[in-house]
Amino acid sequence: MRRVAVVGSGPSGVYSVAALLAEDDLTVDVLDALPTPYGLVRYGVAPDHPKIKSVSKTLEQVLTDPRVRFLGNVRVGVDVPVAELHDHYDAIVYAVGASQGRSLGVPGEDLAGSSSGVDFVRWYSGYPDVPADAYRLTATRAVVVGAGNVALDVVRMLSAGAEALGQTDVPPDVLAGLAASSVREVHLLIRRGPLQTKFTTVELREIGELERADVRLDPADLEGITAEGADRVAQRNLAVLQGWASREPRDTPCTIHLHFWRSPVRVLGTTSVTGVQAERTRQEAGGALVGTGEVLELPAELVISCIGYRGSPIPGVPFDEATGTLPNEGGRLMSAGRPVAGEYVAGWAKRGPTGIIGTNKHDAAETVAALLADLRQRPAGPQRDPDRLLDLLRERGVQVVPWTGWQRIETAEARLGQATGRPTAKITRTPDLLGAAAGRTPEPAAAAGGEAGRG
Ligand code: NAP
Protein backbone atom coordinates (compact mmCIF):
# COMPACT_ATOMS: atom_id res chain seq x y z
CA MET A 1 0.00 0.00 0.00
CA ARG A 2 1.50 3.37 -1.06
CA ARG A 3 1.21 6.24 1.39
CA VAL A 4 0.98 9.89 0.41
CA ALA A 5 1.10 12.96 2.67
CA VAL A 6 -0.88 16.00 1.56
CA VAL A 7 0.17 19.10 3.46
CA GLY A 8 -2.77 21.50 3.77
CA SER A 9 -6.49 20.75 3.95
CA GLY A 10 -7.82 23.70 1.96
CA PRO A 11 -9.43 23.21 -1.47
CA SER A 12 -6.15 22.50 -3.31
CA GLY A 13 -5.15 19.89 -0.72
CA VAL A 14 -8.51 18.18 -0.68
CA TYR A 15 -8.87 18.17 -4.48
CA SER A 16 -5.40 16.55 -4.54
CA VAL A 17 -6.66 13.89 -2.13
CA ALA A 18 -9.73 13.30 -4.29
CA ALA A 19 -7.51 12.80 -7.35
CA LEU A 20 -5.21 10.44 -5.41
CA LEU A 21 -8.15 8.31 -4.27
CA ALA A 22 -8.90 7.41 -7.87
CA GLU A 23 -5.85 5.15 -7.54
CA ASP A 24 -6.35 1.84 -5.71
CA ASP A 25 -3.80 0.61 -3.24
CA LEU A 26 -3.02 4.03 -1.83
CA THR A 27 -3.78 5.83 1.45
CA VAL A 28 -3.49 9.52 2.24
CA ASP A 29 -2.67 11.46 5.40
CA VAL A 30 -3.70 15.12 5.32
CA LEU A 31 -1.49 17.18 7.60
CA ASP A 32 -2.57 20.69 8.55
CA ALA A 33 -0.77 23.22 10.78
CA LEU A 34 -4.17 24.26 12.16
CA PRO A 35 -6.37 22.04 14.32
CA THR A 36 -9.20 22.64 11.83
CA PRO A 37 -9.66 21.63 8.18
CA TYR A 38 -10.66 23.55 5.01
CA GLY A 39 -8.01 26.32 4.89
CA LEU A 40 -9.31 29.46 3.20
CA VAL A 41 -12.86 28.07 3.01
CA ARG A 42 -12.98 28.42 6.80
CA TYR A 43 -10.58 31.35 7.23
CA GLY A 44 -10.85 33.33 3.99
CA VAL A 45 -14.26 33.06 2.31
CA ALA A 46 -16.31 35.94 3.71
CA PRO A 47 -18.87 34.93 6.35
CA ASP A 48 -21.72 36.47 4.36
CA HIS A 49 -20.99 34.09 1.47
CA PRO A 50 -22.56 30.90 2.88
CA LYS A 51 -23.07 29.40 -0.56
CA ILE A 52 -19.33 29.47 -1.29
CA LYS A 53 -18.58 28.26 2.24
CA SER A 54 -20.86 25.26 1.73
CA VAL A 55 -18.15 23.73 -0.48
CA SER A 56 -16.78 22.46 2.84
CA LYS A 57 -19.48 19.76 2.64
CA THR A 58 -17.91 18.45 -0.57
CA LEU A 59 -14.44 18.64 0.97
CA GLU A 60 -15.74 16.79 4.05
CA GLN A 61 -16.83 13.84 1.91
CA VAL A 62 -13.26 13.43 0.69
CA LEU A 63 -11.67 13.86 4.11
CA THR A 64 -13.93 11.24 5.65
CA ASP A 65 -13.07 8.58 3.07
CA PRO A 66 -11.84 5.44 4.91
CA ARG A 67 -8.49 5.68 3.10
CA VAL A 68 -7.86 9.24 4.37
CA ARG A 69 -6.66 10.42 7.80
CA PHE A 70 -6.82 14.06 8.92
CA LEU A 71 -3.90 15.01 11.18
CA GLY A 72 -4.52 18.57 12.40
CA ASN A 73 -2.19 20.76 14.47
CA VAL A 74 0.93 19.36 12.78
CA ARG A 75 3.43 21.89 11.40
CA VAL A 76 5.47 20.32 8.62
CA GLY A 77 9.03 21.62 8.80
CA VAL A 78 8.64 22.38 12.53
CA ASP A 79 6.99 19.45 14.34
CA VAL A 80 8.19 17.04 11.71
CA PRO A 81 11.10 17.83 9.37
CA VAL A 82 10.43 17.26 5.69
CA ALA A 83 13.36 14.82 5.45
CA GLU A 84 11.70 12.69 8.12
CA LEU A 85 8.36 12.68 6.27
CA HIS A 86 10.06 10.67 3.53
CA ASP A 87 10.52 7.84 6.06
CA HIS A 88 6.73 7.62 6.39
CA TYR A 89 5.40 8.42 2.92
CA ASP A 90 6.09 7.56 -0.71
CA ALA A 91 5.25 11.10 -1.80
CA ILE A 92 4.41 14.51 -0.34
CA VAL A 93 2.11 17.15 -1.87
CA TYR A 94 2.44 20.71 -0.56
CA ALA A 95 -0.93 22.43 -0.82
CA VAL A 96 -0.15 25.15 1.68
CA GLY A 97 -1.67 28.15 -0.11
CA ALA A 98 -0.31 31.69 0.19
CA SER A 99 -0.50 33.03 3.69
CA GLN A 100 1.04 36.51 3.56
CA GLY A 101 -0.27 39.79 2.20
CA ARG A 102 1.81 41.62 -0.40
CA SER A 103 3.06 44.97 0.80
CA LEU A 104 2.39 48.31 -0.86
CA GLY A 105 5.98 49.49 -0.48
CA VAL A 106 5.04 53.12 0.21
CA PRO A 107 6.17 55.34 3.13
CA GLY A 108 3.86 55.20 6.15
CA GLU A 109 2.60 51.70 5.40
CA ASP A 110 3.62 50.49 8.86
CA LEU A 111 1.80 53.21 10.83
CA ALA A 112 -0.79 52.12 13.38
CA GLY A 113 -4.12 51.85 11.58
CA SER A 114 -2.55 50.55 8.36
CA SER A 115 -2.58 46.81 7.67
CA SER A 116 -2.88 44.14 5.07
CA GLY A 117 -6.22 42.74 3.99
CA VAL A 118 -4.88 39.31 4.93
CA ASP A 119 -4.82 40.41 8.60
CA PHE A 120 -8.28 41.96 8.43
CA VAL A 121 -9.74 38.86 6.76
CA ARG A 122 -8.15 36.69 9.44
CA TRP A 123 -9.62 38.90 12.15
CA TYR A 124 -13.21 38.70 10.94
CA SER A 125 -12.78 35.02 10.07
CA GLY A 126 -11.74 34.18 13.65
CA TYR A 127 -8.32 32.82 12.62
CA PRO A 128 -6.65 31.14 15.60
CA ASP A 129 -5.02 33.51 18.07
CA VAL A 130 -5.81 36.76 16.25
CA PRO A 131 -6.98 38.93 19.18
CA ALA A 132 -10.62 39.98 19.07
CA ASP A 133 -9.50 43.61 19.51
CA ALA A 134 -6.92 43.50 16.70
CA TYR A 135 -9.31 45.91 14.93
CA ARG A 136 -11.32 48.33 17.02
CA LEU A 137 -12.91 50.18 14.06
CA THR A 138 -12.86 53.57 15.78
CA ALA A 139 -12.08 55.19 12.40
CA THR A 140 -14.80 57.14 10.63
CA ARG A 141 -13.02 57.00 7.27
CA ALA A 142 -11.33 53.95 5.83
CA VAL A 143 -9.25 53.54 2.67
CA VAL A 144 -9.14 50.12 1.02
CA VAL A 145 -6.53 49.58 -1.71
CA GLY A 146 -6.94 47.04 -4.51
CA ALA A 147 -9.29 46.00 -7.25
CA GLY A 148 -9.78 42.30 -6.59
CA ASN A 149 -12.44 40.29 -4.79
CA VAL A 150 -10.62 40.46 -1.45
CA ALA A 151 -10.88 44.27 -1.60
CA LEU A 152 -14.65 43.88 -2.21
CA ASP A 153 -14.96 41.47 0.75
CA VAL A 154 -13.20 44.01 2.98
CA VAL A 155 -15.32 46.91 1.71
CA ARG A 156 -18.48 44.90 2.45
CA MET A 157 -17.35 43.87 5.92
CA LEU A 158 -16.56 47.51 6.74
CA SER A 159 -19.83 48.89 5.47
CA ALA A 160 -22.56 46.22 5.65
CA GLY A 161 -23.08 46.40 9.41
CA ALA A 162 -23.07 43.62 11.98
CA GLU A 163 -26.79 42.84 11.48
CA ALA A 164 -25.97 41.33 8.09
CA LEU A 165 -23.72 38.81 9.85
CA GLY A 166 -26.14 37.85 12.61
CA GLN A 167 -26.62 34.24 11.50
CA THR A 168 -23.02 33.58 10.42
CA ASP A 169 -20.16 31.88 12.29
CA VAL A 170 -18.30 35.17 13.02
CA PRO A 171 -16.84 34.93 16.54
CA PRO A 172 -19.02 36.77 19.10
CA ASP A 173 -16.28 39.30 20.01
CA VAL A 174 -15.64 40.15 16.37
CA LEU A 175 -19.39 40.59 15.83
CA ALA A 176 -19.48 42.99 18.79
CA GLY A 177 -16.48 44.88 17.29
CA LEU A 178 -18.29 45.23 13.95
CA ALA A 179 -21.49 46.33 15.68
CA ALA A 180 -19.55 49.11 17.48
CA SER A 181 -17.79 50.26 14.26
CA SER A 182 -17.69 54.04 13.61
CA VAL A 183 -16.74 53.66 9.95
CA ARG A 184 -18.96 55.94 7.85
CA GLU A 185 -16.94 56.31 4.64
CA VAL A 186 -15.06 53.61 2.78
CA HIS A 187 -12.83 54.77 -0.09
CA LEU A 188 -11.66 52.14 -2.55
CA LEU A 189 -8.46 53.07 -4.40
CA ILE A 190 -8.17 51.31 -7.77
CA ARG A 191 -4.94 51.91 -9.64
CA ARG A 192 -6.32 51.16 -13.09
CA GLY A 193 -9.50 51.95 -14.99
CA PRO A 194 -13.04 50.51 -14.89
CA LEU A 195 -12.23 47.90 -17.56
CA GLN A 196 -9.00 46.69 -15.92
CA THR A 197 -10.11 45.52 -12.49
CA LYS A 198 -9.95 41.94 -11.15
CA PHE A 199 -13.49 42.09 -9.69
CA THR A 200 -15.96 39.41 -10.67
CA THR A 201 -19.38 40.84 -11.47
CA VAL A 202 -21.45 39.01 -8.84
CA GLU A 203 -19.12 40.27 -6.11
CA LEU A 204 -18.99 43.82 -7.55
CA ARG A 205 -22.78 44.00 -7.78
CA GLU A 206 -23.09 42.98 -4.12
CA ILE A 207 -21.61 46.22 -2.76
CA GLY A 208 -24.32 48.12 -4.65
CA GLU A 209 -27.02 46.02 -3.00
CA LEU A 210 -26.09 46.81 0.59
CA GLU A 211 -28.93 48.36 2.52
CA ARG A 212 -26.82 50.52 4.81
CA ALA A 213 -24.22 51.70 2.29
CA ASP A 214 -24.53 53.75 -0.89
CA VAL A 215 -21.91 53.41 -3.65
CA ARG A 216 -20.62 56.67 -5.17
CA LEU A 217 -18.28 57.20 -8.09
CA ASP A 218 -17.26 60.14 -10.25
CA PRO A 219 -19.12 59.83 -13.59
CA ALA A 220 -16.05 61.47 -15.17
CA ASP A 221 -14.14 58.22 -14.48
CA LEU A 222 -16.49 56.45 -16.91
CA GLU A 223 -16.61 59.14 -19.59
CA GLY A 224 -15.58 57.96 -23.03
CA ILE A 225 -15.23 54.34 -21.88
CA THR A 226 -16.97 51.76 -24.03
CA ALA A 227 -17.14 48.01 -23.60
CA GLU A 228 -15.98 47.46 -27.16
CA GLY A 229 -13.16 44.93 -27.31
CA ALA A 230 -13.31 44.28 -23.56
CA ASP A 231 -13.75 40.78 -22.18
CA ARG A 232 -17.21 39.72 -20.95
CA VAL A 233 -16.50 40.23 -17.24
CA ALA A 234 -15.18 43.74 -17.91
CA GLN A 235 -18.25 44.50 -20.04
CA ARG A 236 -20.61 43.36 -17.29
CA ASN A 237 -18.64 45.26 -14.64
CA LEU A 238 -18.82 48.43 -16.72
CA ALA A 239 -22.61 48.09 -16.98
CA VAL A 240 -22.81 47.78 -13.17
CA LEU A 241 -20.63 50.89 -12.69
CA GLN A 242 -22.63 52.87 -15.26
CA GLY A 243 -25.82 51.96 -13.37
CA TRP A 244 -24.35 53.27 -10.13
CA ALA A 245 -23.08 56.50 -11.74
CA SER A 246 -26.55 57.37 -12.97
CA ARG A 247 -28.60 56.54 -9.88
CA GLU A 248 -29.79 59.00 -7.23
CA PRO A 249 -27.64 59.05 -4.09
CA ARG A 250 -29.28 57.43 -1.05
CA ASP A 251 -29.00 58.69 2.50
CA THR A 252 -27.34 55.73 4.23
CA PRO A 253 -25.26 55.30 7.42
CA CYS A 254 -22.20 54.51 5.30
CA THR A 255 -20.95 55.49 1.85
CA ILE A 256 -18.57 53.59 -0.44
CA HIS A 257 -16.50 55.74 -2.80
CA LEU A 258 -14.78 54.19 -5.81
CA HIS A 259 -11.69 56.06 -7.06
CA PHE A 260 -10.33 54.79 -10.38
CA TRP A 261 -6.85 55.59 -11.69
CA ARG A 262 -5.54 56.23 -8.17
CA SER A 263 -2.41 54.65 -6.76
CA PRO A 264 -1.33 55.20 -3.14
CA VAL A 265 2.07 56.89 -2.86
CA ARG A 266 2.16 57.59 0.89
CA VAL A 267 0.22 56.73 4.03
CA LEU A 268 0.05 59.93 6.07
CA GLY A 269 0.47 60.29 9.83
CA THR A 270 3.15 60.44 12.51
CA THR A 271 2.28 57.55 14.81
CA SER A 272 -1.06 56.53 13.38
CA VAL A 273 -2.78 56.94 10.04
CA THR A 274 -4.34 60.31 9.24
CA GLY A 275 -4.81 59.85 5.51
CA VAL A 276 -3.51 58.58 2.19
CA GLN A 277 -1.89 60.38 -0.72
CA ALA A 278 -2.90 58.84 -4.01
CA GLU A 279 -1.43 59.79 -7.34
CA ARG A 280 -3.53 59.89 -10.47
CA THR A 281 -2.36 57.25 -12.93
CA ARG A 282 -2.84 56.55 -16.60
CA GLN A 283 -2.07 53.64 -18.84
CA GLU A 284 0.35 54.15 -21.71
CA ALA A 285 -0.27 52.73 -25.16
CA GLY A 286 1.93 49.69 -24.40
CA GLY A 287 -0.09 49.00 -21.21
CA ALA A 288 2.42 50.37 -18.67
CA LEU A 289 0.87 52.21 -15.73
CA VAL A 290 2.43 55.62 -15.04
CA GLY A 291 1.85 58.36 -12.48
CA THR A 292 0.69 61.76 -13.69
CA GLY A 293 2.05 63.74 -10.71
CA GLU A 294 -1.46 64.87 -9.69
CA VAL A 295 -1.93 63.88 -6.04
CA LEU A 296 -5.19 63.53 -4.13
CA GLU A 297 -5.17 63.55 -0.33
CA LEU A 298 -7.84 61.45 1.37
CA PRO A 299 -8.24 61.84 5.14
CA ALA A 300 -8.65 58.45 6.80
CA GLU A 301 -7.83 56.71 10.07
CA LEU A 302 -7.79 53.16 8.71
CA VAL A 303 -5.99 51.78 5.65
CA ILE A 304 -6.33 48.20 4.47
CA SER A 305 -4.37 47.10 1.41
CA CYS A 306 -5.79 44.15 -0.47
CA ILE A 307 -3.27 43.82 -3.24
CA GLY A 308 -2.75 40.09 -3.36
CA TYR A 309 -1.21 37.24 -1.40
CA ARG A 310 2.18 35.53 -1.46
CA GLY A 311 3.33 32.22 -0.04
CA SER A 312 5.62 31.57 2.92
CA PRO A 313 8.62 29.24 2.85
CA ILE A 314 8.47 25.82 4.56
CA PRO A 315 11.74 24.90 6.32
CA GLY A 316 13.60 22.41 4.15
CA VAL A 317 11.54 23.08 0.99
CA PRO A 318 12.76 25.16 -2.00
CA PHE A 319 11.01 28.55 -2.25
CA ASP A 320 10.98 31.18 -4.98
CA GLU A 321 11.22 34.55 -3.25
CA ALA A 322 10.42 36.47 -6.44
CA THR A 323 7.04 34.81 -7.00
CA GLY A 324 6.26 33.74 -3.44
CA THR A 325 5.57 30.19 -4.67
CA LEU A 326 7.26 26.77 -4.47
CA PRO A 327 9.26 26.33 -7.72
CA ASN A 328 7.67 23.60 -9.78
CA GLU A 329 7.08 22.25 -13.23
CA GLY A 330 3.54 21.01 -13.71
CA GLY A 331 3.34 20.32 -9.97
CA ARG A 332 6.75 18.60 -9.60
CA LEU A 333 8.76 20.52 -7.00
CA MET A 334 12.02 21.77 -8.54
CA SER A 335 15.41 22.55 -7.05
CA ALA A 336 18.34 23.82 -9.13
CA GLY A 337 16.49 22.86 -12.30
CA ARG A 338 15.76 19.25 -11.27
CA PRO A 339 12.64 17.65 -9.79
CA VAL A 340 12.87 16.92 -6.06
CA ALA A 341 12.15 13.20 -5.72
CA GLY A 342 8.78 12.47 -4.14
CA GLU A 343 7.76 16.13 -3.55
CA TYR A 344 4.92 17.94 -5.34
CA VAL A 345 2.97 21.15 -5.07
CA ALA A 346 -0.65 22.18 -5.77
CA GLY A 347 -2.89 25.24 -5.57
CA TRP A 348 -1.79 28.79 -4.77
CA ALA A 349 1.63 27.51 -3.57
CA LYS A 350 2.07 26.14 -7.11
CA ARG A 351 0.56 28.77 -9.43
CA GLY A 352 0.26 31.88 -7.23
CA PRO A 353 -2.87 33.39 -5.66
CA THR A 354 -5.28 33.36 -8.59
CA GLY A 355 -8.56 31.76 -9.51
CA ILE A 356 -11.63 30.62 -7.67
CA ILE A 357 -12.03 27.50 -5.50
CA GLY A 358 -12.95 25.32 -8.48
CA THR A 359 -9.74 26.31 -10.31
CA ASN A 360 -7.91 24.06 -7.85
CA LYS A 361 -9.59 20.94 -9.23
CA HIS A 362 -7.76 20.70 -12.54
CA ASP A 363 -4.64 22.20 -10.93
CA ALA A 364 -4.60 19.33 -8.40
CA ALA A 365 -5.37 16.79 -11.13
CA GLU A 366 -2.23 17.88 -13.02
CA THR A 367 -0.05 17.56 -9.90
CA VAL A 368 -1.45 14.16 -8.96
CA ALA A 369 -1.04 12.85 -12.51
CA ALA A 370 2.68 13.74 -12.30
CA LEU A 371 2.93 12.14 -8.85
CA LEU A 372 1.27 8.90 -9.91
CA ALA A 373 3.33 8.68 -13.10
CA ASP A 374 6.53 9.00 -11.01
CA LEU A 375 5.27 6.54 -8.41
CA ARG A 376 4.60 3.89 -11.07
CA GLN A 377 8.23 4.17 -12.16
CA ARG A 378 9.50 3.49 -8.66
CA PRO A 379 9.58 0.12 -6.89
CA ALA A 380 7.24 -0.02 -3.90
CA GLY A 381 9.01 1.02 -0.68
CA PRO A 382 8.95 -1.00 2.55
CA GLN A 383 5.62 -1.47 4.37
CA ARG A 384 5.41 1.21 7.04
CA ASP A 385 3.48 1.41 10.27
CA PRO A 386 0.97 4.27 9.79
CA ASP A 387 0.99 4.96 13.52
CA ARG A 388 4.76 5.44 13.77
CA LEU A 389 4.56 9.15 12.86
CA LEU A 390 1.74 9.67 15.37
CA ASP A 391 3.88 8.09 18.10
CA LEU A 392 6.81 10.35 17.21
CA LEU A 393 4.65 13.45 17.27
CA ARG A 394 3.18 12.43 20.61
CA GLU A 395 6.70 11.94 22.02
CA ARG A 396 7.46 15.52 20.86
CA GLY A 397 4.46 16.86 22.76
CA VAL A 398 2.36 17.58 19.67
CA GLN A 399 -1.39 17.10 20.21
CA VAL A 400 -2.44 15.76 16.83
CA VAL A 401 -6.11 16.53 16.10
CA PRO A 402 -7.75 13.61 14.26
CA TRP A 403 -11.04 13.90 12.37
CA THR A 404 -12.97 12.95 15.51
CA GLY A 405 -11.22 15.85 17.27
CA TRP A 406 -12.42 18.21 14.54
CA GLN A 407 -15.94 16.82 14.96
CA ARG A 408 -15.74 17.67 18.66
CA ILE A 409 -14.62 21.22 17.76
CA GLU A 410 -17.66 21.52 15.47
CA THR A 411 -19.95 20.41 18.29
CA ALA A 412 -18.35 22.89 20.71
CA GLU A 413 -18.72 25.69 18.14
CA ALA A 414 -22.40 24.84 17.68
CA ARG A 415 -22.81 25.11 21.45
CA LEU A 416 -21.01 28.48 21.47
CA GLY A 417 -23.25 29.73 18.66
CA GLN A 418 -26.43 28.59 20.35
CA ALA A 419 -25.38 30.53 23.47
CA THR A 420 -25.58 33.68 21.29
CA GLY A 421 -28.68 32.67 19.32
CA ARG A 422 -26.81 31.50 16.21
CA PRO A 423 -26.33 28.09 14.60
CA THR A 424 -22.56 28.16 15.22
CA ALA A 425 -19.72 30.50 16.20
CA LYS A 426 -15.98 30.03 15.78
CA ILE A 427 -13.67 29.25 18.66
CA THR A 428 -10.63 31.49 18.15
CA ARG A 429 -7.87 30.45 20.55
CA THR A 430 -5.63 27.48 19.84
CA PRO A 431 -5.75 26.20 23.46
CA ASP A 432 -9.57 26.30 23.30
CA LEU A 433 -9.61 24.54 19.92
CA LEU A 434 -7.26 21.85 21.24
CA GLY A 435 -9.28 21.58 24.44
CA ALA A 436 -12.50 21.15 22.44
CA ALA A 437 -10.77 18.56 20.21
CA ALA A 438 -9.87 16.62 23.34
CA GLY A 439 -13.46 16.82 24.59
CA ARG A 440 -13.08 19.67 27.08
CA THR A 441 -15.66 22.48 26.96
CA PRO A 442 -14.00 25.81 26.03
CA GLU A 443 -14.65 28.97 28.01
CA PRO A 444 -16.49 31.28 25.57
CA ALA A 445 -15.14 34.36 27.36
CA ALA A 446 -11.56 33.27 26.72
CA ALA A 447 -11.80 34.14 23.02
CA ALA A 448 -10.00 37.52 23.20
CA GLY A 449 -6.20 37.79 23.18
CA GLY A 450 -3.86 40.61 24.18
CA GLU A 451 -2.15 42.13 21.12
CA ALA A 452 -2.59 45.88 20.43
CA GLY A 453 -5.39 46.94 18.08
CA ARG A 454 -4.66 47.89 14.46
CA GLY A 455 -7.55 50.15 13.60
P1 NAP B 1 -6.31 39.86 -7.12
O1 NAP B 1 -7.56 39.40 -7.74
O2 NAP B 1 -5.03 39.49 -7.78
O3 NAP B 1 -6.39 41.47 -7.01
C1 NAP B 1 -5.33 42.21 -6.50
C2 NAP B 1 -5.53 43.66 -6.90
O4 NAP B 1 -4.54 44.45 -6.25
C3 NAP B 1 -5.41 43.93 -8.38
O5 NAP B 1 -6.45 44.75 -8.78
C4 NAP B 1 -4.06 44.65 -8.50
O6 NAP B 1 -4.03 45.59 -9.53
C5 NAP B 1 -4.04 45.40 -7.19
N1 NAP B 1 -2.70 45.80 -6.80
C6 NAP B 1 -1.58 45.03 -6.77
N2 NAP B 1 -0.53 45.77 -6.35
C7 NAP B 1 -0.99 47.02 -6.11
C8 NAP B 1 -0.41 48.22 -5.64
N3 NAP B 1 0.88 48.26 -5.34
N4 NAP B 1 -1.19 49.31 -5.53
C9 NAP B 1 -2.50 49.26 -5.83
N5 NAP B 1 -3.13 48.16 -6.27
C10 NAP B 1 -2.38 47.04 -6.40
O7 NAP B 1 -6.14 39.38 -5.61
P2 NAP B 1 -7.17 39.17 -4.40
O8 NAP B 1 -8.23 40.19 -4.38
O9 NAP B 1 -6.27 39.00 -3.23
O10 NAP B 1 -7.83 37.77 -4.74
C11 NAP B 1 -7.04 36.56 -4.83
C12 NAP B 1 -7.85 35.49 -5.55
O11 NAP B 1 -8.91 35.03 -4.70
C13 NAP B 1 -8.50 35.97 -6.82
O12 NAP B 1 -8.45 34.96 -7.78
C14 NAP B 1 -9.92 36.24 -6.39
O13 NAP B 1 -10.87 36.19 -7.43
C15 NAP B 1 -10.14 35.13 -5.37
N6 NAP B 1 -11.23 35.50 -4.44
C16 NAP B 1 -12.48 35.17 -4.82
C17 NAP B 1 -13.55 35.55 -4.03
C18 NAP B 1 -14.94 35.20 -4.48
O14 NAP B 1 -15.11 34.52 -5.47
N7 NAP B 1 -15.98 35.65 -3.79
C19 NAP B 1 -13.34 36.26 -2.85
C20 NAP B 1 -12.04 36.59 -2.49
C21 NAP B 1 -10.97 36.20 -3.32
P3 NAP B 1 -3.30 45.29 -10.93
O15 NAP B 1 -4.25 44.46 -11.69
O16 NAP B 1 -3.08 46.64 -11.44
O17 NAP B 1 -2.01 44.55 -10.61
Side-chain angles (χ1 to χ4, degrees):
M1 184 73 83
R2 307 275 195 155
R3 304 189 70 235
V4 178
V6 172
V7 185
S9 63
S12 63
V14 181
Y15 288 133
S16 300
V17 178
L20 285 162
L21 290 180
E23 189 82 353
D24 295 333
D25 201 30
L26 185 148
T27 62
V28 188
D29 280 355
V30 182
L31 288 72
D32 202 299
L34 296 178
T36 54
Y38 309 138
L40 273 187
V41 173
R42 179 172 161 95
Y43 291 121
V45 173
D48 59 345
H49 279 167
K51 211 167 151 198
I52 303 179
K53 273 195 177 302
S54 69
V55 75
S56 60
K57 287 285 154 220
T58 312
L59 306 185
E60 180 183 12
Q61 280 171 17
V62 178
L63 290 173
T64 51
D65 186 283
R67 286 192 286 145
V68 178
R69 287 195 306 189
F70 174 72
L71 309 179
N73 196 39
V74 179
R75 295 163 301 172
V76 168
V78 179
D79 299 320
V80 52
V82 165
E84 196 181 294
L85 275 188
H86 285 287
D87 297 340
H88 303 274
Y89 300 101
D90 295 282
I92 305 163
V93 180
Y94 302 107
V96 291
S99 58
Q100 303 178 61
R102 292 183 49 227
S103 64
L104 277 173
V106 302
E109 188 178 7
D110 297 327
L111 287 167
S114 165
S115 68
S116 158
V118 172
D119 294 330
F120 189 66
V121 169
R122 286 186 167 188
W123 172 69
Y124 67 64
S125 301
Y127 191 88
D129 305 321
V130 175
D133 64 352
Y135 289 88
R136 296 198 190 93
L137 302 184
T138 51
T140 52
R141 293 160 296 197
V143 165
V144 178
V145 183
N149 285 337
V150 172
L152 292 177
D153 284 347
V154 168
V155 165
R156 250 183 13 264
M157 294 301 290
L158 286 172
S159 54
E163 309 82 60
L165 303 169
Q167 287 307 302
T168 67
D169 63 357
V170 172
D173 291 348
V174 171
L175 203 54
L178 288 166
S181 166
S182 347
V183 175
R184 297 291 169 262
E185 287 175 26
V186 181
H187 295 266
L188 183 59
L189 292 184
I190 299 160
R191 70 175 174 180
R192 295 181 198 270
L195 293 177
Q196 290 97 12
T197 67
K198 301 267 170 67
F199 306 138
T200 48
T201 312
V202 172
E203 279 68 23
L204 180 64
R205 207 175 276 133
E206 270 179 323
I207 63 166
E209 289 164 355
L210 298 174
E211 218 166 278
R212 77 182 287 285
D214 194 33
V215 180
R216 314 263 165 95
L217 72 160
D218 184 353
D221 279 347
L222 303 182
E223 254 168 40
I225 297 182
T226 64
E228 212 181 304
D231 66 44
R232 282 179 48 199
V233 177
Q235 288 183 19
R236 286 195 289 254
N237 287 354
L238 183 63
V240 171
L241 296 169
Q242 285 166 336
W244 290 343
S246 60
R247 74 185 185 187
E248 282 297 309
R250 287 184 298 138
D251 189 14
T252 48
C254 190
T255 48
I256 298 168
H257 303 260
L258 306 189
H259 305 268
F260 289 98
W261 300 113
R262 289 287 173 188
S263 180
V265 287
R266 178 179 291 272
V267 179
L268 301 168
T270 44
T271 53
S272 60
V273 172
T274 57
V276 173
Q277 275 184 348
E279 186 179 14
R280 186 141 193 106
T281 52
R282 64 179 173 77
Q283 199 160 352
E284 292 193 316
L289 194 70
V290 290
T292 63
E294 180 205 321
V295 172
L296 166 82
E297 225 162 81
L298 279 172
E301 303 80 34
L302 178 67
V303 175
I304 303 181
S305 54
C306 308
I307 58 167
Y309 288 72
R310 54 179 279 118
S312 314
I314 304 171
V317 180
F319 184 70
D320 184 340
E321 278 294 340
T323 60
T325 58
L326 306 190
N328 71 92
E329 279 182 16
R332 286 186 177 94
L333 187 71
M334 303 295 287
S335 175
R338 304 174 74 101
V340 179
E343 296 187 39
Y344 302 85
V345 52
W348 280 8
K350 170 185 173 186
R351 67 176 192 274
T354 58
I356 56 170
I357 291 172
T359 313
N360 293 299
K361 225 180 216 173
H362 77 260
D363 176 303
E366 180 193 51
T367 294
V368 169
L371 183 158
L372 293 174
D374 294 349
L375 215 53
R376 282 183 206 115
Q377 303 289 318
R378 291 210 326 243
Q383 279 307 308
R384 305 173 182 96
D385 175 0
D387 291 333
R388 182 73 195 113
L389 178 64
L390 297 184
D391 293 341
L392 280 173
L393 288 165
R394 205 172 299 121
E395 282 163 22
R396 289 171 194 161
V398 179
Q399 181 191 326
V400 178
V401 175
W403 190 258
T404 49
W406 158 241
Q407 287 174 314
R408 289 199 191 105
I409 292 173
E410 274 192 305
T411 306
E413 291 193 331
R415 220 178 292 130
L416 179 63
Q418 280 145 24
T420 53
R422 298 188 289 148
T424 183
K426 280 193 187 116
I427 297 170
T428 58
R429 291 179 63 242
T430 300
D432 295 335
L433 286 164
L434 294 180
R440 294 189 295 277
T441 310
E443 292 293 330
E451 198 185 291
R454 294 200 186 90

